[in-house]
Amino acid sequence: MGTVLGFLSRRSGARLQWRWVGWLGLILGACAAGEVAEPILPAPHLLVPLVAGLALAVSGLTADQVPGRLNRGCQAVLGVLMGGYLDPHTAPQAAAEVLPLAAVTMVTIGLSLAAAAIMARTGRIDRASATLGMVAGGSAAVISSAADFDADPRIVAFLQYLRVALVATTTPVLVHWLLAPHPAAGTAAVAHPSAWSLVTGDDQGIGLVLLAAVALTGTLTGRGLRLPSPALLGPMLLTAAITASGALSGFTPTGPLRTAVFTIVGLDIGLRFTRPTLAHMRRLLPLALACTMSIMAVCAVLAWLLSVMAHIPFTDAYLATTPGGVNAVLTTAAATHADVSLISGVQSLRLFAMVLLAPLFIRLTISRPPRPGPATGHRHAGNRRTGGSGRSTG
């Protein structure tokens, strides 16, 4: 009997090893595909893996989900990345216009909540999915924590990536074509780490140890404080506190590590899609486009008001107030000689606030059971497929 159990244990261990080898190969392949798509697509390391996971799920080649441990580790590293966006060096520049900037941020939050209410009522999707889907910023973090709030990650991903794609594709055109580029005194050369660096510091070994320590400590603290999505919000808050204090630096993920995190998030969402879900997404597209473009138009008006009240160039104000698409916005700012420091500070503070306040949005907007509709049914069908009522990744 002991011999049989030992044989079965070895067989089980071998299958587990091959499963992890398979996941490693899939992640590396998706990373490579994202690199190839870099000049073509916005957020390619999110979108390409998502499409790859979707193709695998819809074709029936796999019914697996990203392993829970890998998913939680990914969330913790992503939380450190989000917390690192709060740059204390850009805060003094934004402080001079704190009231107008705070007003713009609050209006953007209000627009997101209004659009979510419209999506939930008209598009017949649950409030949690609509609210997270219309949050204007931090798409990767919001999507990765969707299941923790009983939201449908597929709908959240669809709405978030639609917004990112629209912002990323329209911002460079508008800035180059309609707006007058200008040299800005605040523009400075930004030092970039080596393309193969895993963290932002010069000493990669120490940086990786600090990253692991902050991610683990933040996750445990988040659980102790009973934060929603503790694996994401715990490390994010801890990193923000460390960054703001200036006590430590050089441990924020970058380069291949950041690419791997985005790839895993994309794969995790893509593998959740089913054919009925895709049919519902097609019906949601016109409404989602209308809501997203309305938010972008109002943000453009807010940019004009901000430029008048704070006496800053309209180009800077427009780039600072776009509803997300941070990577495309900062790239455009650098290419047009806009004030990268100001734009980075405003975008980072808004992104941080949006991701941090998303759980509060959910609690405030969901005061009663969600309206029944196709998305709710699909969500529960998807949850049955993963073996629970929404797998907690925290």
Side-chain angles (χ1 to χ4, degrees):
M1 185 68 177
T3 305
V4 173
L5 290 176
F7 174 74
L8 292 176
S9 177
R10 287 193 295 272
R11 289 289 299 273
S12 177
R15 284 197 300 269
L16 184 61
Q17 284 182 336
W18 279 111
R19 182 169 181 252
W20 280 101
V21 169
W23 278 111
L24 179 60
L26 180 59
I27 292 169
L28 290 176
C31 286
E35 286 292 329
V36 173
E38 186 85 41
I40 306 170
L41 293 177
H45 293 295
L46 287 167
L47 293 179
V48 171
L50 188 151
V51 173
L54 185 152
L56 289 172
V58 171
S59 64
L61 291 177
T62 181
D64 286 343
Q65 298 291 308
V66 174
R69 290 182 181 178
L70 180 60
N71 207 337
R72 287 189 292 271
C74 174
Q75 282 200 60
V77 176
L78 185 60
V80 174
L81 176 63
M82 292 292 115
Y85 274 116
L86 188 61
D87 186 355
H89 299 295
T90 60
Q93 291 179 290
E97 296 89 18
V98 62
L99 290 179
L101 292 176
V104 168
T105 301
M106 294 304 297
V107 172
T108 305
I109 291 173
L111 288 172
S112 299
L113 292 177
I118 294 172
M119 290 294 300
R121 181 175 295 274
T122 308
R124 300 189 66 185
I125 62 177
D126 61 279
R127 279 293 184 93
S129 299
T131 302
L132 287 179
M134 299 310 296
V135 165
S139 56
V142 169
I143 293 166
S144 71
S145 62
D148 292 343
F149 304 108
D150 200 27
D152 188 338
R154 298 160 295 189
I155 293 177
V156 175
F158 170 73
L159 296 175
Q160 285 285 336
Y161 291 152
L162 178 65
R163 175 183 53 80
V164 169
L166 287 174
V167 172
T169 52
T170 59
T171 298
V173 175
L174 289 174
V175 170
H176 282 280
W177 183 35
L178 296 179
L179 307 177
H182 63 280
T187 303
V190 180
H192 296 282
S194 167
W196 294 103
S197 296
L198 299 179
V199 290
T200 52
D202 294 330
D203 193 320
Q204 294 292 292
I206 293 178
L208 288 171
V209 171
L210 288 174
L211 171 60
V214 171
L216 178 59
T217 304
T219 301
L220 295 176
T221 303
R223 289 176 180 171
L225 296 174
R226 296 186 178 181
L227 293 176
S229 190
L232 175 73
L233 293 183
M236 187 179 79
L237 291 173
L238 180 58
T239 303
I242 293 173
T243 303
S245 69
L248 295 172
S249 62
F251 60 91
T252 306
T254 188
L257 181 56
R258 183 173 61 179
T259 297
V261 168
F262 286 171
T263 300
I264 294 169
V265 170
L267 282 173
D268 181 59
I269 301 306
L271 289 170
R272 296 173 185 266
F273 278 87
T274 61
R275 290 178 183 176
T277 303
L278 290 178
H280 185 61
M281 298 303 178
R282 188 168 62 248
R283 293 193 293 270
L284 274 179
L285 181 59
L287 179 61
L289 277 173
C291 289
T292 303
M293 294 181 72
S294 297
I295 291 176
M296 293 172 62
V298 176
C299 284
V301 175
L302 292 175
W304 177 76
L305 292 174
L306 181 62
S307 68
V308 172
M309 291 187 296
H311 306 290
I312 60 177
F314 180 54
T315 305
D316 293 348
Y318 179 80
L319 290 172
T321 56
T322 57
V326 176
N327 291 337
V329 167
L330 294 183
T331 301
T332 303
T336 56
H337 306 291
D339 191 340
V340 178
S341 298
L342 175 66
I343 294 165
S344 173
V346 176
Q347 285 280 356
S348 300
L349 288 171
R350 180 190 51 77
L351 180 152
F352 183 78
M354 287 287 188
V355 175
L356 182 61
L357 293 175
L360 180 61
F361 296 165
I362 297 294
R363 289 170 180 166
L364 290 177
T365 57
I366 305 177
S367 56
R368 59 183 180 274
R371 292 168 59 90
T376 305
H378 294 158
R379 174 159 57 92
H380 292 312
N383 289 337
R384 284 194 298 270
R385 178 183 170 197
T386 57
S389 59
R391 184 186 64 184
S392 173
T393 54

